Amino acid sequence: MSKLKYLGKRLLMSVPVVWLGASMTWFIIFMGPVDPASRLLSEGQTRNPAAYQAAQIQLGLNQPPLQHYLDWMSNLATFDLGRTWLLYQGSNVNALILDFLPRTLWLGFWSVLIAVCIGVPLGFYAGMRSNTASDYVASMGGIVWRAMPNFWLAIMLLTFLGTAYTLSVGGFALTFDWQTIGIGLDAISGSPDLSRLHTVEGFLAATKKVFPAALVLGSASMGNEMRIGRTAVLEVRNEDYIDLAKAKGVSKRALVWKHILRNALVPLVPIITSEAFLLIGGSVLVETVFGINGIGNLFYQAARSGDLPLVGTLMYVFILMIVGINLVQDLLYTIIDPRVGLEGN
Amino acid sequence: MARAHETTSETVLPTESPAALWAGIGALLFVVEAGAFFDFFVGIVADFLAATPLPGAGLVNGVENAVERIPTLLSRELIPNGGYWNGSRWVGTFLGLRPGVAWGIRVLLVYLYAFAFAGWAVLGYRLYRREYRTADWTPRDDMVDRFRGHKWGVFGLVVVFMFVTMAVFAPTLGPTTVDKNMRDSYSYEINYWNGEAGEVQTTLVGEANLASQSRGDTADRVLPMGYDDFGRFHPFGTMPSGQDLFTFIASGSRISLLIGLLSVGLSVSIATTLALIAAYYKGRIDLGLVLASDSVMAMPQLLLLIMLTTVLAGTWLGGIYSGGFVLALIFAGTGWTYMWRSLRGPALQVSERQWIDAAKSFGQRPRTIMRKHMLPYITGYLLIYGSMTLGGAIISIAGLSFLGLGISAPTPEWGRAINLGQDYVATGSWHISLIPGLLITIVVTGFNALGDGVRDAIDPQSDAAEEGGAAGRGGGA
């Protein structure tokens, strides 16, 4: 019961967070130094009072600020997100987000998966063999990998994959060309085709397309997960219950898998989910470099072209995503760690 | 104990007053490079004032000109590398050496000087600890000793120190200056050896740049450690515009460091104040702050940066220091949350201690209690997070200028070099993107390593930086 209560409390706490975040966004965009209405118009139109007036009325800026704020917030709350102004002119924002979001989610899904599948085992490996040469190599690799800027790594990876390599050993030539290996792609960068996900070939093609981008996007989290996995294993190994299990004669296999690794997973859960904001923030740069038409790229283009209302709406979507991920984190926490929600009672 | 110390001082320093000797060395070290230091600080003030409507810009410009006349030992005038080949030998370079060698000597001397300065500071600390301090031992000694034994942390410190040296001595280190090579390249002339005509000819720097552009596989491209057709040496090669990449990067390191320091300083002060308040008053104030920081954190930092730089770009605030000042403010406004999160725990722990209750019962004011009895226990954490956040800020600034936001265009910034070179990575001009990216990786690794070292020195048991690990990543750039 106390777990449900804990989750309920977290859910309740997330409401003011979303409200405050959306209010700050509204303030920055509509009360900031830039007049959103004039940003939407071209040079010539700004001098035309009729066009300016029309833009103001469309945005609702002719109303008093409080009224405008209430309107804007209620529109967000009911997901009545209006139409775009400059970018994909006049299209429905809801439809636009529904069109762009799946690509970002697909990219995010793979970047989390790749980071977890490489980072955590590597960290555990380093932790089980602490202070050996392989530990140092793995740890150093993780630290440097983590310090590389995503956008730079993306450029380098694209260049590396864009060339075909031929390795010839004694008349036997081995060619590596990312574009044609396995499933052929029309181009190494660009948006993945998500319409054929249900077929095996379509699934593999879409995965291969986002794989380099996901690898780059997950790089920071991978390094973090490795470090924390390593420390967690080191800490758990020194716990008294491990000694007790050893004394009881628990087999080495059960000791490692059941007693050490499972407990070492606990501190990793918040790390994996709290890096959601790294993924979402990084998606702007990675999607721009890889030419993926995702929601991060959309946000960047909206900001560049001056479509401030769209920027605000997208920020609201990002806030919802992050708060949602935090709630998932709490849910996972209660499943993995039975102590959560019991402390304090 | 005191006796033993006296004997060591006699063997190490053959003088009655080691402090005077130490101060003398310091003064000497400072005087020879006073011009460079003044130039660094006056330059910052001038850049800030240039964009503000505040009066005083003229006065500062006057001071700047005066400062430039202060004789400086390690200057490009004393060890020049900008000469020309007259058919039989180099003219105008240091001792008639090749420009590359002359430049190398200058860089080497600058770094030797910087390390001598650092050595002088370390010597001063040890002298103080051994000779002048009344206490034989303080807890801080253990921290310093632990840090000295922490190889990874010392590596980080050296990398950070070299980066700071690069930023401070940027005008001296570059083979040419930003003014001469980029901003005003058509106002300066250079002599060069024209092999076809067999004589020394004169051309404008801008014209020479046009003929040494690195765009793909062209014959004109200049690779790292190469000379262009005008006898100019380019340690990191040239950019697609023909400008010198090293000068660009050295100058860019200055702006990265300044924005980083300013933003980290601001967010550290905000985070500390709020952490102390939350830990002291607890309850509703704490809850309110948790909500506020959660809301800021719910907006992804990089996206918030993009949104705010777009909104504030046109204002007078956005013009200060090529947009760097507003960037620092935004970093502080968004970055305090992560730091506050990490400081809140330690601050809460301190607030539970008995001496806080004792101070309260004495009737001390809350401000005094926070400052005197709580702050000293969390300053160590500030160093850790400060170092990591600085690394993150450098990545973020580079990421933003890669996207064409943040620092406005002609001002050199590392991210822009990566952006300019991204089309040529697969070609013969691979160096333009590769080198700045490698440098960012090294510098950020250095800041993270320094943070690790400080953490292990302050509290070997804690894994404080683990939670703040994301801070070192600049919001995912």
PDB file of all heavy atoms in Angstrom, chain A residues 20 33-34 146-147 150-152 159 220 227 231 278 281-282 284 300 303 318, chain B residues 295 302-303 310-311 315 399 403-404 425 433 437 445 452 466 469 473 476-477:
ATOM      1  N   LEU A  20       4.699  24.824 -13.527  1.00  0.00           N
ATOM      2  CA  LEU A  20       5.752  25.843 -13.395  1.00  0.00           C
ATOM      3  C   LEU A  20       6.600  25.923 -14.661  1.00  0.00           C
ATOM      4  O   LEU A  20       6.913  27.013 -15.146  1.00  0.00           O
ATOM      5  CB  LEU A  20       6.652  25.506 -12.211  1.00  0.00           C
ATOM      6  CG  LEU A  20       6.299  26.152 -10.879  1.00  0.00           C
ATOM      7  CD1 LEU A  20       7.204  25.608  -9.783  1.00  0.00           C
ATOM      8  CD2 LEU A  20       6.467  27.663 -10.979  1.00  0.00           C
ATOM      9  N   PRO A  33      11.879  39.938 -24.311  1.00  0.00           N
ATOM     10  CA  PRO A  33      12.180  41.154 -25.067  1.00  0.00           C
ATOM     11  C   PRO A  33      11.794  41.077 -26.534  1.00  0.00           C
ATOM     12  O   PRO A  33      11.756  42.096 -27.204  1.00  0.00           O
ATOM     13  CB  PRO A  33      13.697  41.301 -24.907  1.00  0.00           C
ATOM     14  CG  PRO A  33      14.177  39.937 -24.603  1.00  0.00           C
ATOM     15  CD  PRO A  33      13.084  39.220 -23.902  1.00  0.00           C
ATOM     16  N   VAL A  34      11.522  39.893 -27.030  1.00  0.00           N
ATOM     17  CA  VAL A  34      11.185  39.771 -28.445  1.00  0.00           C
ATOM     18  C   VAL A  34       9.674  39.712 -28.599  1.00  0.00           C
ATOM     19  O   VAL A  34       8.995  38.997 -27.868  1.00  0.00           O
ATOM     20  CB  VAL A  34      11.835  38.501 -29.042  1.00  0.00           C
ATOM     21  CG1 VAL A  34      11.350  38.289 -30.456  1.00  0.00           C
ATOM     22  CG2 VAL A  34      13.319  38.615 -29.009  1.00  0.00           C
ATOM     23  N   ARG A 146      33.026   9.558 -22.826  1.00  0.00           N
ATOM     24  CA  ARG A 146      32.024  10.416 -22.229  1.00  0.00           C
ATOM     25  C   ARG A 146      32.342  11.887 -22.478  1.00  0.00           C
ATOM     26  O   ARG A 146      31.448  12.716 -22.568  1.00  0.00           O
ATOM     27  CB  ARG A 146      32.026  10.121 -20.732  1.00  0.00           C
ATOM     28  CG  ARG A 146      30.912  10.719 -19.993  1.00  0.00           C
ATOM     29  CD  ARG A 146      30.995  10.285 -18.546  1.00  0.00           C
ATOM     30  NE  ARG A 146      30.321  11.300 -17.797  1.00  0.00           N
ATOM     31  CZ  ARG A 146      30.910  12.110 -16.955  1.00  0.00           C
ATOM     32  NH1 ARG A 146      32.170  12.002 -16.725  1.00  0.00           N
ATOM     33  NH2 ARG A 146      30.219  13.027 -16.341  1.00  0.00           N
ATOM     34  N   ALA A 147      33.630  12.221 -22.576  1.00  0.00           N
ATOM     35  CA  ALA A 147      34.009  13.623 -22.706  1.00  0.00           C
ATOM     36  C   ALA A 147      33.906  14.117 -24.137  1.00  0.00           C
ATOM     37  O   ALA A 147      34.004  15.309 -24.381  1.00  0.00           O
ATOM     38  CB  ALA A 147      35.433  13.822 -22.196  1.00  0.00           C
ATOM     39  N   ASN A 150      29.082  15.283 -28.520  1.00  0.00           N
ATOM     40  CA  ASN A 150      28.232  14.476 -29.401  1.00  0.00           C
ATOM     41  C   ASN A 150      28.294  14.910 -30.846  1.00  0.00           C
ATOM     42  O   ASN A 150      28.397  14.092 -31.747  1.00  0.00           O
ATOM     43  CB  ASN A 150      26.773  14.590 -28.942  1.00  0.00           C
ATOM     44  CG  ASN A 150      26.458  13.614 -27.857  1.00  0.00           C
ATOM     45  OD1 ASN A 150      27.236  12.701 -27.602  1.00  0.00           O
ATOM     46  ND2 ASN A 150      25.332  13.778 -27.218  1.00  0.00           N
ATOM     47  N   PHE A 151      28.231  16.227 -31.062  1.00  0.00           N
ATOM     48  CA  PHE A 151      28.131  16.683 -32.447  1.00  0.00           C
ATOM     49  C   PHE A 151      29.408  16.379 -33.206  1.00  0.00           C
ATOM     50  O   PHE A 151      29.376  16.015 -34.379  1.00  0.00           O
ATOM     51  CB  PHE A 151      27.801  18.182 -32.489  1.00  0.00           C
ATOM     52  CG  PHE A 151      28.784  19.074 -31.804  1.00  0.00           C
ATOM     53  CD1 PHE A 151      29.778  19.682 -32.518  1.00  0.00           C
ATOM     54  CD2 PHE A 151      28.704  19.304 -30.443  1.00  0.00           C
ATOM     55  CE1 PHE A 151      30.680  20.508 -31.896  1.00  0.00           C
ATOM     56  CE2 PHE A 151      29.600  20.130 -29.818  1.00  0.00           C
ATOM     57  CZ  PHE A 151      30.597  20.724 -30.533  1.00  0.00           C
ATOM     58  N   TRP A 152      30.522  16.450 -32.530  1.00  0.00           N
ATOM     59  CA  TRP A 152      31.807  16.135 -33.167  1.00  0.00           C
ATOM     60  C   TRP A 152      31.917  14.642 -33.458  1.00  0.00           C
ATOM     61  O   TRP A 152      32.294  14.208 -34.548  1.00  0.00           O
ATOM     62  CB  TRP A 152      32.936  16.599 -32.250  1.00  0.00           C
ATOM     63  CG  TRP A 152      34.302  16.308 -32.760  1.00  0.00           C
ATOM     64  CD1 TRP A 152      34.941  16.962 -33.766  1.00  0.00           C
ATOM     65  CD2 TRP A 152      35.190  15.299 -32.294  1.00  0.00           C
ATOM     66  NE1 TRP A 152      36.185  16.421 -33.952  1.00  0.00           N
ATOM     67  CE2 TRP A 152      36.360  15.400 -33.066  1.00  0.00           C
ATOM     68  CE3 TRP A 152      35.120  14.323 -31.305  1.00  0.00           C
ATOM     69  CZ2 TRP A 152      37.449  14.561 -32.866  1.00  0.00           C
ATOM     70  CZ3 TRP A 152      36.195  13.486 -31.111  1.00  0.00           C
ATOM     71  CH2 TRP A 152      37.346  13.615 -31.896  1.00  0.00           C
ATOM     72  N   THR A 159      31.733  10.330 -41.188  1.00  0.00           N
ATOM     73  CA  THR A 159      32.834  10.274 -42.142  1.00  0.00           C
ATOM     74  C   THR A 159      33.401   8.869 -42.224  1.00  0.00           C
ATOM     75  O   THR A 159      33.672   8.344 -43.299  1.00  0.00           O
ATOM     76  CB  THR A 159      33.940  11.239 -41.708  1.00  0.00           C
ATOM     77  OG1 THR A 159      33.353  12.485 -41.418  1.00  0.00           O
ATOM     78  CG2 THR A 159      34.976  11.393 -42.790  1.00  0.00           C
ATOM     79  N   ALA A 220      27.345   9.612 -23.958  1.00  0.00           N
ATOM     80  CA  ALA A 220      27.522  10.204 -22.636  1.00  0.00           C
ATOM     81  C   ALA A 220      26.954   9.285 -21.567  1.00  0.00           C
ATOM     82  O   ALA A 220      27.600   9.014 -20.550  1.00  0.00           O
ATOM     83  CB  ALA A 220      26.849  11.563 -22.569  1.00  0.00           C
ATOM     84  N   ARG A 227      30.784   3.924 -15.367  1.00  0.00           N
ATOM     85  CA  ARG A 227      31.414   4.367 -14.121  1.00  0.00           C
ATOM     86  C   ARG A 227      30.603   3.932 -12.912  1.00  0.00           C
ATOM     87  O   ARG A 227      31.137   3.432 -11.928  1.00  0.00           O
ATOM     88  CB  ARG A 227      31.489   5.895 -14.112  1.00  0.00           C
ATOM     89  CG  ARG A 227      32.741   6.454 -14.685  1.00  0.00           C
ATOM     90  CD  ARG A 227      32.544   7.910 -14.905  1.00  0.00           C
ATOM     91  NE  ARG A 227      32.370   8.633 -13.657  1.00  0.00           N
ATOM     92  CZ  ARG A 227      33.267   9.461 -13.159  1.00  0.00           C
ATOM     93  NH1 ARG A 227      34.368   9.669 -13.801  1.00  0.00           N
ATOM     94  NH2 ARG A 227      33.062  10.084 -12.041  1.00  0.00           N
ATOM     95  N   THR A 231      31.457   1.305  -9.787  1.00  0.00           N
ATOM     96  CA  THR A 231      31.454   1.628  -8.365  1.00  0.00           C
ATOM     97  C   THR A 231      30.450   0.776  -7.614  1.00  0.00           C
ATOM     98  O   THR A 231      30.724   0.334  -6.490  1.00  0.00           O
ATOM     99  CB  THR A 231      31.080   3.103  -8.134  1.00  0.00           C
ATOM    100  OG1 THR A 231      31.067   3.774  -9.363  1.00  0.00           O
ATOM    101  CG2 THR A 231      32.033   3.755  -7.183  1.00  0.00           C
ATOM    102  N   LEU A 278      19.619  14.328 -21.020  1.00  0.00           N
ATOM    103  CA  LEU A 278      20.806  14.341 -21.884  1.00  0.00           C
ATOM    104  C   LEU A 278      20.423  13.878 -23.282  1.00  0.00           C
ATOM    105  O   LEU A 278      20.833  14.451 -24.288  1.00  0.00           O
ATOM    106  CB  LEU A 278      21.867  13.388 -21.347  1.00  0.00           C
ATOM    107  CG  LEU A 278      22.789  13.865 -20.246  1.00  0.00           C
ATOM    108  CD1 LEU A 278      23.862  12.818 -20.018  1.00  0.00           C
ATOM    109  CD2 LEU A 278      23.439  15.166 -20.640  1.00  0.00           C
ATOM    110  N   GLY A 281      18.164  16.616 -24.916  1.00  0.00           N
ATOM    111  CA  GLY A 281      18.970  17.769 -25.294  1.00  0.00           C
ATOM    112  C   GLY A 281      19.904  17.423 -26.443  1.00  0.00           C
ATOM    113  O   GLY A 281      20.021  18.161 -27.417  1.00  0.00           O
ATOM    114  N   GLY A 282      20.544  16.247 -26.328  1.00  0.00           N
ATOM    115  CA  GLY A 282      21.486  15.849 -27.357  1.00  0.00           C
ATOM    116  C   GLY A 282      20.813  15.562 -28.677  1.00  0.00           C
ATOM    117  O   GLY A 282      21.431  15.663 -29.734  1.00  0.00           O
ATOM    118  N   VAL A 284      18.840  17.256 -30.332  1.00  0.00           N
ATOM    119  CA  VAL A 284      18.849  18.405 -31.243  1.00  0.00           C
ATOM    120  C   VAL A 284      20.086  18.332 -32.143  1.00  0.00           C
ATOM    121  O   VAL A 284      19.999  18.395 -33.367  1.00  0.00           O
ATOM    122  CB  VAL A 284      18.866  19.728 -30.452  1.00  0.00           C
ATOM    123  CG1 VAL A 284      18.965  20.894 -31.395  1.00  0.00           C
ATOM    124  CG2 VAL A 284      17.635  19.848 -29.603  1.00  0.00           C
ATOM    125  N   TYR A 300      14.810  22.929 -33.120  1.00  0.00           N
ATOM    126  CA  TYR A 300      15.923  23.774 -33.562  1.00  0.00           C
ATOM    127  C   TYR A 300      15.515  24.631 -34.747  1.00  0.00           C
ATOM    128  O   TYR A 300      15.781  25.834 -34.788  1.00  0.00           O
ATOM    129  CB  TYR A 300      17.114  22.881 -33.904  1.00  0.00           C
ATOM    130  CG  TYR A 300      18.225  23.586 -34.623  1.00  0.00           C
ATOM    131  CD1 TYR A 300      18.894  24.642 -34.009  1.00  0.00           C
ATOM    132  CD2 TYR A 300      18.611  23.214 -35.903  1.00  0.00           C
ATOM    133  CE1 TYR A 300      19.919  25.301 -34.670  1.00  0.00           C
ATOM    134  CE2 TYR A 300      19.618  23.859 -36.563  1.00  0.00           C
ATOM    135  CZ  TYR A 300      20.272  24.903 -35.945  1.00  0.00           C
ATOM    136  OH  TYR A 300      21.275  25.555 -36.593  1.00  0.00           O
ATOM    137  N   ALA A 303      13.237  27.394 -33.676  1.00  0.00           N
ATOM    138  CA  ALA A 303      13.961  28.471 -33.007  1.00  0.00           C
ATOM    139  C   ALA A 303      14.722  29.324 -34.017  1.00  0.00           C
ATOM    140  O   ALA A 303      14.768  30.542 -33.919  1.00  0.00           O
ATOM    141  CB  ALA A 303      14.925  27.890 -31.973  1.00  0.00           C
ATOM    142  N   PHE A 318       8.378  18.562 -24.423  1.00  0.00           N
ATOM    143  CA  PHE A 318       9.605  18.032 -23.805  1.00  0.00           C
ATOM    144  C   PHE A 318       9.438  17.922 -22.290  1.00  0.00           C
ATOM    145  O   PHE A 318       9.887  16.945 -21.675  1.00  0.00           O
ATOM    146  CB  PHE A 318      10.798  18.933 -24.122  1.00  0.00           C
ATOM    147  CG  PHE A 318      11.265  18.799 -25.539  1.00  0.00           C
ATOM    148  CD1 PHE A 318      11.360  19.899 -26.355  1.00  0.00           C
ATOM    149  CD2 PHE A 318      11.616  17.567 -26.047  1.00  0.00           C
ATOM    150  CE1 PHE A 318      11.785  19.785 -27.660  1.00  0.00           C
ATOM    151  CE2 PHE A 318      12.049  17.439 -27.347  1.00  0.00           C
ATOM    152  CZ  PHE A 318      12.128  18.550 -28.153  1.00  0.00           C
TER     153      PHE A 318
ATOM    154  N   SER B 295      11.228  22.000 -11.916  1.00  0.00           N
ATOM    155  CA  SER B 295      10.623  22.593 -13.115  1.00  0.00           C
ATOM    156  C   SER B 295      11.684  23.065 -14.090  1.00  0.00           C
ATOM    157  O   SER B 295      11.542  22.907 -15.299  1.00  0.00           O
ATOM    158  CB  SER B 295       9.733  23.773 -12.754  1.00  0.00           C
ATOM    159  OG  SER B 295       9.049  23.509 -11.582  1.00  0.00           O
ATOM    160  N   LEU B 302      19.868  22.102 -22.803  1.00  0.00           N
ATOM    161  CA  LEU B 302      20.330  22.570 -24.111  1.00  0.00           C
ATOM    162  C   LEU B 302      19.195  23.256 -24.878  1.00  0.00           C
ATOM    163  O   LEU B 302      19.400  24.266 -25.550  1.00  0.00           O
ATOM    164  CB  LEU B 302      20.882  21.392 -24.908  1.00  0.00           C
ATOM    165  CG  LEU B 302      21.792  21.787 -26.051  1.00  0.00           C
ATOM    166  CD1 LEU B 302      23.094  22.317 -25.540  1.00  0.00           C
ATOM    167  CD2 LEU B 302      22.025  20.606 -26.958  1.00  0.00           C
ATOM    168  N   LEU B 303      17.983  22.709 -24.742  1.00  0.00           N
ATOM    169  CA  LEU B 303      16.852  23.307 -25.444  1.00  0.00           C
ATOM    170  C   LEU B 303      16.508  24.658 -24.843  1.00  0.00           C
ATOM    171  O   LEU B 303      16.181  25.616 -25.553  1.00  0.00           O
ATOM    172  CB  LEU B 303      15.641  22.380 -25.366  1.00  0.00           C
ATOM    173  CG  LEU B 303      15.831  20.995 -25.953  1.00  0.00           C
ATOM    174  CD1 LEU B 303      14.519  20.267 -26.049  1.00  0.00           C
ATOM    175  CD2 LEU B 303      16.442  21.092 -27.328  1.00  0.00           C
ATOM    176  N   THR B 310      17.827  32.489 -28.553  1.00  0.00           N
ATOM    177  CA  THR B 310      17.030  33.036 -29.650  1.00  0.00           C
ATOM    178  C   THR B 310      16.281  34.267 -29.179  1.00  0.00           C
ATOM    179  O   THR B 310      16.246  35.295 -29.852  1.00  0.00           O
ATOM    180  CB  THR B 310      16.005  31.994 -30.142  1.00  0.00           C
ATOM    181  OG1 THR B 310      16.584  30.726 -30.054  1.00  0.00           O
ATOM    182  CG2 THR B 310      15.571  32.279 -31.535  1.00  0.00           C
ATOM    183  N   VAL B 311      15.653  34.156 -27.998  1.00  0.00           N
ATOM    184  CA  VAL B 311      14.826  35.259 -27.512  1.00  0.00           C
ATOM    185  C   VAL B 311      15.686  36.477 -27.173  1.00  0.00           C
ATOM    186  O   VAL B 311      15.321  37.613 -27.467  1.00  0.00           O
ATOM    187  CB  VAL B 311      14.009  34.788 -26.289  1.00  0.00           C
ATOM    188  CG1 VAL B 311      13.342  35.961 -25.614  1.00  0.00           C
ATOM    189  CG2 VAL B 311      12.956  33.792 -26.728  1.00  0.00           C
ATOM    190  N   THR B 315      18.771  41.751 -28.057  1.00  0.00           N
ATOM    191  CA  THR B 315      18.800  42.783 -27.026  1.00  0.00           C
ATOM    192  C   THR B 315      20.215  43.270 -26.786  1.00  0.00           C
ATOM    193  O   THR B 315      21.190  42.640 -27.217  1.00  0.00           O
ATOM    194  CB  THR B 315      18.235  42.233 -25.721  1.00  0.00           C
ATOM    195  OG1 THR B 315      19.031  41.118 -25.340  1.00  0.00           O
ATOM    196  CG2 THR B 315      16.812  41.772 -25.903  1.00  0.00           C
ATOM    197  N   GLY B 399      28.771  23.329 -28.592  1.00  0.00           N
ATOM    198  CA  GLY B 399      27.608  22.772 -29.268  1.00  0.00           C
ATOM    199  C   GLY B 399      26.712  23.855 -29.825  1.00  0.00           C
ATOM    200  O   GLY B 399      26.231  23.770 -30.951  1.00  0.00           O
ATOM    201  N   LEU B 403      25.862  24.983 -33.798  1.00  0.00           N
ATOM    202  CA  LEU B 403      24.550  25.191 -34.409  1.00  0.00           C
ATOM    203  C   LEU B 403      24.376  26.601 -34.934  1.00  0.00           C
ATOM    204  O   LEU B 403      23.361  26.914 -35.535  1.00  0.00           O
ATOM    205  CB  LEU B 403      23.449  24.925 -33.375  1.00  0.00           C
ATOM    206  CG  LEU B 403      23.206  23.486 -32.968  1.00  0.00           C
ATOM    207  CD1 LEU B 403      22.170  23.423 -31.869  1.00  0.00           C
ATOM    208  CD2 LEU B 403      22.744  22.660 -34.152  1.00  0.00           C
ATOM    209  N   GLY B 404      25.363  27.476 -34.680  1.00  0.00           N
ATOM    210  CA  GLY B 404      25.231  28.852 -35.145  1.00  0.00           C
ATOM    211  C   GLY B 404      24.518  29.732 -34.141  1.00  0.00           C
ATOM    212  O   GLY B 404      24.041  30.807 -34.488  1.00  0.00           O
ATOM    213  N   VAL B 425      35.876  16.704 -43.673  1.00  0.00           N
ATOM    214  CA  VAL B 425      36.528  15.700 -42.827  1.00  0.00           C
ATOM    215  C   VAL B 425      37.035  14.525 -43.657  1.00  0.00           C
ATOM    216  O   VAL B 425      38.112  13.993 -43.415  1.00  0.00           O
ATOM    217  CB  VAL B 425      35.566  15.211 -41.727  1.00  0.00           C
ATOM    218  CG1 VAL B 425      36.257  14.208 -40.837  1.00  0.00           C
ATOM    219  CG2 VAL B 425      35.092  16.384 -40.902  1.00  0.00           C
ATOM    220  N   SER B 433      38.032  20.089 -38.517  1.00  0.00           N
ATOM    221  CA  SER B 433      37.085  19.597 -37.517  1.00  0.00           C
ATOM    222  C   SER B 433      37.759  18.732 -36.470  1.00  0.00           C
ATOM    223  O   SER B 433      37.375  18.750 -35.300  1.00  0.00           O
ATOM    224  CB  SER B 433      35.995  18.753 -38.188  1.00  0.00           C
ATOM    225  OG  SER B 433      34.978  19.561 -38.669  1.00  0.00           O
ATOM    226  N   GLY B 437      37.840  19.236 -32.005  1.00  0.00           N
ATOM    227  CA  GLY B 437      37.110  18.194 -31.292  1.00  0.00           C
ATOM    228  C   GLY B 437      37.999  17.443 -30.326  1.00  0.00           C
ATOM    229  O   GLY B 437      37.625  17.185 -29.183  1.00  0.00           O
ATOM    230  N   THR B 445      37.955  16.081 -20.440  1.00  0.00           N
ATOM    231  CA  THR B 445      38.484  14.982 -19.634  1.00  0.00           C
ATOM    232  C   THR B 445      39.305  15.543 -18.483  1.00  0.00           C
ATOM    233  O   THR B 445      39.226  15.063 -17.355  1.00  0.00           O
ATOM    234  CB  THR B 445      39.362  14.062 -20.497  1.00  0.00           C
ATOM    235  OG1 THR B 445      38.622  13.678 -21.631  1.00  0.00           O
ATOM    236  CG2 THR B 445      39.777  12.824 -19.731  1.00  0.00           C
ATOM    237  N   ASP B 452      37.344  14.569 -10.131  1.00  0.00           N
ATOM    238  CA  ASP B 452      37.526  13.266  -9.477  1.00  0.00           C
ATOM    239  C   ASP B 452      38.603  13.346  -8.406  1.00  0.00           C
ATOM    240  O   ASP B 452      38.437  12.835  -7.296  1.00  0.00           O
ATOM    241  CB  ASP B 452      37.943  12.208 -10.504  1.00  0.00           C
ATOM    242  CG  ASP B 452      36.768  11.730 -11.329  1.00  0.00           C
ATOM    243  OD1 ASP B 452      35.634  12.038 -10.948  1.00  0.00           O
ATOM    244  OD2 ASP B 452      37.003  11.054 -12.352  1.00  0.00           O
ATOM    245  N   GLU B 466      29.326  11.157  -8.658  1.00  0.00           N
ATOM    246  CA  GLU B 466      28.593  10.206  -9.479  1.00  0.00           C
ATOM    247  C   GLU B 466      27.208  10.737  -9.816  1.00  0.00           C
ATOM    248  O   GLU B 466      26.767  10.658 -10.950  1.00  0.00           O
ATOM    249  CB  GLU B 466      28.456   8.868  -8.745  1.00  0.00           C
ATOM    250  CG  GLU B 466      29.759   8.257  -8.275  1.00  0.00           C
ATOM    251  CD  GLU B 466      30.598   7.707  -9.407  1.00  0.00           C
ATOM    252  OE1 GLU B 466      30.238   7.922 -10.559  1.00  0.00           O
ATOM    253  OE2 GLU B 466      31.613   7.062  -9.127  1.00  0.00           O
ATOM    254  N   GLY B 469      27.254  13.441 -12.256  1.00  0.00           N
ATOM    255  CA  GLY B 469      27.995  13.078 -13.457  1.00  0.00           C
ATOM    256  C   GLY B 469      27.481  13.770 -14.711  1.00  0.00           C
ATOM    257  O   GLY B 469      28.238  14.126 -15.595  1.00  0.00           O
ATOM    258  N   ARG B 473      28.509  17.006 -18.669  1.00  0.00           N
ATOM    259  CA  ARG B 473      28.217  16.712 -20.056  1.00  0.00           C
ATOM    260  C   ARG B 473      27.475  17.816 -20.775  1.00  0.00           C
ATOM    261  O   ARG B 473      27.059  17.637 -21.913  1.00  0.00           O
ATOM    262  CB  ARG B 473      27.439  15.395 -20.141  1.00  0.00           C
ATOM    263  CG  ARG B 473      28.325  14.201 -20.163  1.00  0.00           C
ATOM    264  CD  ARG B 473      29.316  14.264 -21.320  1.00  0.00           C
ATOM    265  NE  ARG B 473      28.657  13.970 -22.584  1.00  0.00           N
ATOM    266  CZ  ARG B 473      28.722  14.717 -23.655  1.00  0.00           C
ATOM    267  NH1 ARG B 473      29.376  15.826 -23.633  1.00  0.00           N
ATOM    268  NH2 ARG B 473      28.108  14.392 -24.754  1.00  0.00           N
ATOM    269  N   GLY B 476      23.961  17.406 -22.823  1.00  0.00           N
ATOM    270  CA  GLY B 476      23.811  16.472 -23.939  1.00  0.00           C
ATOM    271  C   GLY B 476      24.395  16.961 -25.259  1.00  0.00           C
ATOM    272  O   GLY B 476      24.177  16.347 -26.286  1.00  0.00           O
ATOM    273  N   ALA B 477      25.124  18.063 -25.216  1.00  0.00           N
ATOM    274  CA  ALA B 477      25.774  18.501 -26.459  1.00  0.00           C
ATOM    275  C   ALA B 477      26.916  17.580 -26.746  1.00  0.00           C
ATOM    276  O   ALA B 477      27.630  17.657 -27.656  1.00  0.00           O
ATOM    277  CB  ALA B 477      26.252  19.930 -26.338  1.00  0.00           C
TER     278      ALA B 477
END
